[in-house]
Amino acid sequence: MAQILTTTVSSKDKEVQISRELPTAIIGERINPTGRKKLQKELKEGIFDTVKNDAIAQVDAGAAILDVNAGVPGADEPALLLKLVEIVGTVTDVPLCIDTANPKALESALSFYQGKALVNSVTGEKDKLETVLPLIKKYGAAVIGLTIDDDGIPKTVEKRIEIAGKIINKAAQLGIPVEDIVIDTLAMSMGSDDLAGKMALDSVTAIVETYGVNVTMGCSNISFGIPDRESINGAFLAMAIRCGLTCPITNPLQEEVVKSILAADLAMGRDEYASRWIGFYRKRVKNAKEAG
């Protein structure tokens, strides 16, 4: 197996390290208007109450990093993303994952951000490599590399390894260290492909063994279109952590998800004296009593 690498990201006040030797770093996915009509409406109207509430709630639930996406149809994305980065930074102190496919929006946010951001994302597509990676170098950020290229989503583990290598090598040419690359092995819905989960898990194992980099996935995708999604997401996350997943993009407001992550960390020897698990259990008991 390749050496264990540590990816470091930070806000103005807080640093987070991502590593297979450390507890799983949850990247909270909720500040994303995709599929959320109420949030889209609020953002179009310049209302940020839901954003603030989601930011605070996710950190309270265990998110170490917050993904921030401003993809509202018809909106001025560079201006809106900058505003979201500013707003979230006023209510939490955790590092941010700046989530955009718009280079102008990305540079706007990175130029404002205080700390070392994680960027979501770059792909193996030629134009993406040539536009996104120079910004990563310029602003000293870390970046998520999606294992997609000009041919689309790969159908084999071998192709995903190849694309990951392409991203890592291109970054190295620009002077971006390998520890600043986090690879996304792609979680696709098992509702449309019953082998999608196995493909994702096998890809995590292979990427870790080949490159040693930290690995993420949009883990909620795995259960799209299937009943009882929270249970599926929890089971998948625990298995993925065993394979080498270190920083899943997921919803920490789902109790089953957080329970599975904490249980997996405990089983992997990343929770000394079970202190995090016990703390989480006590918090749930307290909340249940207060709820009546």
Side-chain angles (χ1 to χ4, degrees), residues 33-259:
T34 303
R36 302 183 67 189
K37 292 183 180 180
K38 178 187 174 185
L39 181 56
Q40 287 187 23
K41 182 175 184 295
E42 286 187 6
L43 294 180
K44 286 179 179 179
E45 295 173 355
I47 299 171
F48 301 98
D49 293 346
T50 297
V51 168
K52 292 178 182 178
N53 292 337
D54 277 354
I56 294 168
Q58 287 184 103
V59 173
D60 186 56
I65 301 165
L66 294 179
D67 189 84
V68 177
N69 182 296
V72 177
D76 180 349
E77 188 177 353
L80 180 57
L81 184 60
L82 182 62
K83 186 65 176 178
L84 289 180
V85 168
E86 179 185 4
I87 290 288
V88 174
T90 65
V91 295
T92 72
D93 64 354
V94 301
L96 300 185
C97 179
I98 299 172
D99 185 354
T100 180
N102 183 324
K104 290 183 179 179
L106 177 58
E107 181 149 32
S108 174
L110 286 175
S111 66
F112 172 80
Y113 187 76
Q114 297 182 59
K116 181 178 180 179
L118 179 62
V119 171
N120 188 10
S121 55
V122 70
T123 70
E125 298 166 287
K126 187 174 185 294
D127 63 326
K128 298 293 185 183
L129 291 171
E130 292 178 352
T131 55
V132 176
L133 288 182
L135 293 176
I136 301 303
K137 174 62 178 177
K138 178 179 179 180
Y139 292 99
V143 65
I144 294 172
L146 292 174
T147 49
I148 302 172
D149 65 7
D150 295 288
D151 295 325
I153 297 172
K155 298 187 183 300
T156 67
V157 172
E158 291 74 20
K159 183 64 175 178
R160 295 183 193 199
I161 295 173
E162 178 187 323
I163 296 171
K166 181 179 179 181
I167 294 169
I168 291 167
N169 290 335
K170 182 63 175 179
Q173 292 173 17
L174 295 174
I176 300 169
V178 65
E179 59 266 26
D180 283 345
I181 308 296
V182 177
I183 294 297
D184 186 332
T185 57
L186 304 179
M188 311 304 293
S189 172
M190 296 187 297
S192 56
D193 179 359
D194 58 291
L195 293 178
K198 184 177 185 303
M199 171 70 77
L201 295 173
D202 289 348
S203 297
V204 173
T205 299
I207 293 294
V208 168
E209 289 180 345
T210 305
Y211 301 112
V213 293
N214 287 295
V215 178
T216 187
M217 280 188 285
C219 292
S220 300
N221 296 339
I222 206 74
S223 62
F224 186 78
I226 309 175
D228 195 9
R229 295 185 64 188
E230 194 168 328
S231 295
I232 294 171
N233 293 346
F236 177 78
L237 273 161
M239 295 176 72
I241 289 168
R242 178 65 184 91
C243 292
L245 181 76
T246 51
C247 49
I249 301 171
T250 192
N251 184 0
L253 304 186
Q254 294 181 342
E255 186 176 282
E256 188 73 24
V257 164
V258 178
K259 282 171 65 176

